[in-house]
Amino acid sequence: MNPFAKGFLEGIIPPPPMTVSEWSDKHRRLSSKGSSEPGRWRTSRTPYLRECQDLLSVTNSDVERVVLMFGSQLGKTEMGINFLLYTIDHCPAPILCVAASLDMVKRMSRQRLEPAFEETPVIKAKIAPQRSRDASNSMFIKEYPSGILMLTGSNSPAGLRSAPVRYLFLDEIDSYPADASTSGGVSEGDPCELAIKRTSTFSRKKILMTSTPTLKEFSRVESEYLASDRRKFFVKSPCCGKYQTLIWSQMKWEKRDPSTAKYECSHCGERFDESHKTSMLRQGEWRAEKPMTRKTAGFQMSSLYSPAGWLSWPELVEEFLRSKEDAPLFKTFVNTRLAETFDESYQSQLSAEELLEKCEKYKPGTIPEDVICLVQGVDVQGGSGTKDERIEISTFGIAPEEHMYLIQHDVIFGDANQGTVWKGLDVLLTAEWPHPNGGTLKVDCCAIDTGGMATNSVYNYCRERKSMNVIGIKGSSRPAQPVIGRGSKVDLNYKGKAIKGGATVYMVGSDTIKDVLYSRLKFNNKLHFHCETDQEYFKQLTGEKKVLKKSGRGTEYVQKRNQKVEALDCAVYAYSALNHLYQRFPRSKIFQMFTDRLLNSANLAKKQRLNSRKKSKKSYVDNW
Ligand SMILES: [Zn+2]
């Protein structure tokens, strides 16, 4: 055929109807640069992607939007690249591809797209080799016959206002800013909306939106998924052959040993390991929860489905164990592995009833064996004639790895501007607590709230007991504050200079500490309570809840309705007292130091006992 006729025919013969999966299996090559499994693309390796990508095929006109709310290690970005390459080769038209920022675009272009173009021969033949100064093929623009691929960042309003496009790939939409305007600029509106507007002139358009989700109520991908037909992937269980979705709560393992991870069938209760994964994925199917509206198909999938050899169940369990005690890490786990949004209030959702079951055998006022030092947190209520004047004191025993044991919680009634309550506190402060292994413990640091109506009385008390490590503190509810800050002098002379030996006040990051304490209450057993701890104590301890601020920016702790929270405040202050000790002694050595001290104290007591026994024997002899 002469070249003219060939070109002519190419112009009028419609492309043979091919799906994205068929095209990818035939043409796509994975580069050794960007992929752990270089070579030919096989949709059978990630069978769940077949339906997602085939809805983007030119032959399928029912669906306009495909939303993937996916965990990591499932191949969603590679699928996005399949979509782009398929379009370039099979049904060329203008395409816009948006990443979170211009930097991300550069990275995506260099690390993922260019290698994919290079390795896939049919594409390589269509895109001119990249030359500097060549406008038709730069980092942000790729031209090919009958189309152009434009790449931009969600923070670039100019890029989002580009020419009309038929195909749109919005990658990681939850990391886009709320507004496309660059910092300080005028409001440009939502970057997704701006990009989608580019497609409005085309009737047979395709929009792919993918992301791991982020914060509940703020997640774009979740709201898109919820507005879709909500598909979930059902797999056939190897045990009883029934279908189910894989969910985290069915993952089981033996105590702290991720290698024992198995999945417990939610139908028959039998446990199976991940050697069945490959066949389960092959026999799996997407099922929608709702009929489709707005031509939007939505898919949710967690990393539990990650194909064999990518991310294993034991690895997930290991990550879970590592993250569950650390709020930010745990949030990442929930988002990127479970593909679920994170509810900031989740960790603070604790019930007093649940905690009552955590009470341990030791009696109030006694020291459990592990404890090697004592700290106190003191909350001051009222002052100078107000109602219910009192101070409340929680004494906590500290064991290695920051285990905290509630030893006792005391309330001393009286005016904090009078001496009586402070005399009561002196008794607790100077008490010697016998340790079960011998020796005694005394309070190593006591932190008192200065924020109430008796500020000056607290200053006076702290000033006089500085040598006993009694400190004044002031809580700050600003987010991301250090647990305890550097002290600032509050006793100033008439020139405004600090008086030597004057009182010092330490700022305490209350919200930071509440995050620590609440996540420990929820996820591990580092907080211990004596056998007589009552419901009222736990009600106060759980009396606050983390919520999203009304402004929508960030979170804050709020008191539950009609709920006192003195026990929580005392625990927060006691934890700040422990952290004050870290300011004075190196954190790496402090627990060993206290252990040695206790041992010395026990030895000393033993010696004294022996001596006094000798003495009494001697005196007995003398008397005789
Ligand atoms: Zn079963």
Side-chain angles (χ1 to χ4, degrees):
M1 197 184 291
N2 77 49
F4 178 78
K6 186 169 178 281
F8 180 75
L9 282 175
E10 269 176 359
I12 54 163
I13 297 173
M18 227 181 178
T19 64
V20 176
S21 298
E22 285 163 357
W23 186 91
S24 305
D25 283 333
K26 187 165 179 208
H27 297 294
R28 176 87 200 271
R29 298 285 186 283
L30 293 165
S31 150
S32 53
K33 277 187 209 159
S35 168
S36 54
E37 290 178 15
R40 190 178 275 277
W41 166 275
R42 286 174 295 138
T43 304
S44 58
R45 188 80 175 90
T46 48
Y48 48 84
L49 288 179
R50 185 180 302 276
E51 186 170 318
C52 314
Q53 64 186 4
D54 284 352
L55 293 181
L56 296 163
S57 308
V58 69
T59 47
N60 188 318
S61 58
D62 298 340
V63 174
E64 219 165 72
R65 272 189 210 197
V66 173
V67 178
L68 304 188
M69 176 156 80
F70 268 33
S72 41
Q73 299 285 321
L74 292 165
K76 70 172 166 11
T77 305
E78 288 304 330
M79 190 200 102
I81 295 172
N82 284 349
F83 167 50
L84 297 179
L85 301 194
Y86 166 84
T87 307
I88 291 171
D89 181 47
H90 197 64
C91 43
I95 319 170
L96 177 62
C97 171
V98 184
S101 63
L102 286 172
D103 281 341
M104 290 297 289
V105 173
K106 283 182 194 163
R107 202 183 308 167
M108 185 177 183
S109 188
R110 279 220 183 98
Q111 296 178 357
R112 312 293 288 261
L113 285 176
E114 279 160 15
F117 293 164
E118 194 62 31
E119 303 276 333
T120 306
V122 286
I123 299 296
K124 194 181 176 187
K126 291 194 175 178
I127 293 188
Q130 186 166 351
R131 289 188 301 264
S132 54
R133 292 164 171 261
D134 182 355
S136 70
N137 184 1
S138 70
M139 193 123 58
F140 301 106
I141 288 180
K142 313 277 178 194
E143 273 185 45
Y144 45 88
S146 308
I148 180 170
L149 166 64
M150 289 162 281
L151 299 141
T152 191
S154 64
N155 58 352
S156 162
L160 295 169
R161 291 184 189 291
S162 63
V165 292
R166 166 167 273 162
Y167 301 105
L168 178 60
F169 174 24
L170 299 164
D171 192 31
E172 286 299 336
I173 54 175
D174 272 20
S175 36
Y176 294 5
D179 193 289
S181 65
T182 40
S183 56
V186 280
S187 170
E188 298 276 354
D190 181 71
C192 284
E193 298 287 317
L194 284 177
I196 289 167
K197 267 192 199 147
R198 299 297 103 217
T199 65
S200 56
T201 47
F202 288 93
S203 57
R204 294 178 57 178
K205 56 194 162 202
K206 296 282 183 192
I207 300 168
L208 171 63
M209 308 172 102
T210 70
S211 198
T212 53
T214 50
L215 268 190
K216 195 164 196 73
E217 292 169 64
F218 286 87
S219 165
R220 272 202 190 86
V221 73
E222 186 180 55
S223 78
E224 290 290 336
Y225 175 77
L226 292 177
S228 77
D229 58 356
R230 303 186 194 176
R231 301 181 198 203
K232 289 200 161 82
F233 201 65
F234 283 72
V235 290
K236 194 176 171 187
S237 334
C239 37
C240 56
K242 288 187 178 152
Y243 276 81
Q244 63 192 308
T245 57
L246 298 180
I247 51 173
W248 182 249
S249 55
Q250 295 301 104
M251 189 56 76
K252 310 287 171 187
W253 59 91
E254 279 159 37
K255 214 178 172 204
R256 301 202 69 84
D257 183 4
S259 71
T260 59
K262 283 190 173 169
Y263 195 86
E264 187 175 290
C265 173
S266 44
H267 295 292
C268 72
E270 199 171 303
R271 293 183 183 185
F272 50 86
D273 63 26
E274 61 170 3
S275 60
H276 300 277
K277 218 186 210 174
T278 306
S279 71
M280 281 162 67
L281 291 180
R282 202 171 51 230
Q283 298 177 72
E285 60 189 46
W286 288 101
R287 293 182 190 169
E289 278 175 9
K290 286 193 347 178
M292 198 191 302
T293 54
R294 302 195 316 148
K295 296 186 170 185
T296 304
F299 300 86
Q300 183 186 22
M301 182 171 260
S302 77
S303 300
L304 282 170
Y305 293 89
S306 181
W310 290 14
L311 185 64
S312 69
W313 289 349
E315 281 171 305
L316 285 174
V317 171
E318 197 186 310
E319 272 184 29
F320 171 77
L321 291 173
R322 211 177 330 126
S323 70
K324 71 188 174 106
E325 289 160 23
D326 180 299
L329 269 185
F330 184 68
K331 178 180 175 298
T332 306
F333 179 82
V334 171
N335 290 158
T336 66
R337 301 309 198 197
L338 303 189
E340 288 170 17
T341 51
F342 188 74
D343 184 350
E344 280 285 359
S345 67
Y346 176 65
Q347 290 166 77
S348 57
Q349 283 167 7
L350 292 156
S351 79
E353 291 74 17
E354 263 173 70
L355 289 176
L356 259 180
E357 291 172 13
K358 279 187 176 243
C359 287
E360 295 176 23
K361 279 190 183 140
Y362 70 96
K363 294 211 163 66
T366 64
I367 307 289
E369 205 177 337
D370 297 349
V371 169
I372 50 174
C373 97
L374 294 175
V375 291
Q376 275 176 344
V378 182
D379 187 39
V380 180
Q381 290 290 322
S384 293
T386 50
K387 234 179 84 192
D388 279 342
E389 299 163 305
R390 67 193 185 281
I391 62 172
E392 301 207 5
I393 310 106
S394 285
T395 305
F396 279 94
I398 307 295
E401 294 184 9
E402 277 196 2
H403 281 266
M404 287 174 81
Y405 290 82
L406 177 67
I407 305 299
Q408 59 188 49
H409 181 82
D410 296 278
V411 181
I412 304 176
F413 287 96
D415 181 355
N417 282 321
Q418 307 287 329
T420 337
V421 291
W422 300 114
K423 280 187 185 133
L425 181 56
D426 272 340
V427 173
L428 289 169
L429 197 60
T430 53
E432 297 208 6
W433 310 67
H435 193 279
N437 293 349
T440 55
L441 289 175
K442 270 168 92 169
V443 172
D444 284 293
C445 182
C446 171
I448 309 177
D449 177 30
T450 63
M453 304 278 286
T455 308
N456 277 314
S457 306
V458 178
Y459 287 171
N460 290 336
Y461 187 81
C462 296
R463 193 185 303 119
E464 287 159 15
R465 288 159 189 78
K466 215 172 181 174
S467 61
M468 296 164 76
N469 245 346
V470 177
I471 58 167
I473 52 152
K474 198 166 166 11
S476 157
S477 56
R478 282 174 49 211
Q481 292 298 297
V483 167
I484 188 164
R486 279 173 47 205
S488 55
K489 303 260 190 253
V490 287
D491 279 341
L492 307 176
N493 65 14
Y494 69 99
K495 284 179 182 163
K497 287 228 166 111
I499 297 172
K500 213 176 167 198
T504 306
V505 167
Y506 295 83
M507 289 305 283
V508 161
S510 305
D511 281 22
T512 310
I513 299 180
K514 284 169 195 170
D515 281 350
V516 171
L517 297 181
Y518 275 158
S519 75
R520 287 184 182 177
L521 274 173
K522 182 100 187 171
F523 300 119
N524 69 19
N525 297 318
K526 277 193 178 172
L527 287 169
H528 307 263
F529 304 96
H530 61 68
C531 63
E532 289 175 22
T533 316
D534 59 9
Q535 192 155 6
E536 176 57 25
Y537 177 87
F538 286 123
K539 271 192 177 160
Q540 292 190 13
L541 192 64
T542 58
E544 290 191 5
K545 208 178 125 181
K546 200 172 193 182
V547 294
L548 287 163
K549 281 186 183 168
K550 287 217 175 73
S551 64
R553 283 167 199 265
T555 54
E556 61 185 348
Y557 279 94
V558 293
Q559 221 156 313
K560 293 177 186 167
R561 275 172 66 85
N562 301 325
Q563 180 57 60
K564 290 180 179 176
V565 292
E566 285 80 356
L568 174 62
D569 287 337
C570 288
V572 167
Y573 304 154
Y575 188 73
S576 77
L578 170 63
N579 281 264
H580 179 59
L581 293 175
Y582 296 151
Q583 292 179 322
R584 308 199 55 195
F585 307 104
R587 207 175 172 132
S588 54
K589 293 184 187 142
I590 194 166
F591 291 113
Q592 191 54 49
M593 215 178 79
F594 285 133
T595 309
D596 294 345
R597 185 186 66 178
L598 184 63
L599 214 65
N600 287 339
S601 151
N603 287 338
L604 193 69
K606 210 170 165 186
K607 250 183 220 159
Q608 278 169 350
R609 239 186 357 259
L610 285 174
N611 280 341
S612 67
R613 207 179 292 163
K614 264 185 210 157
K615 232 187 228 161
S616 62
K617 224 182 202 172
K618 197 168 166 246
S619 59
Y620 175 72
V621 173
D622 283 351
N623 285 349
W624 192 71

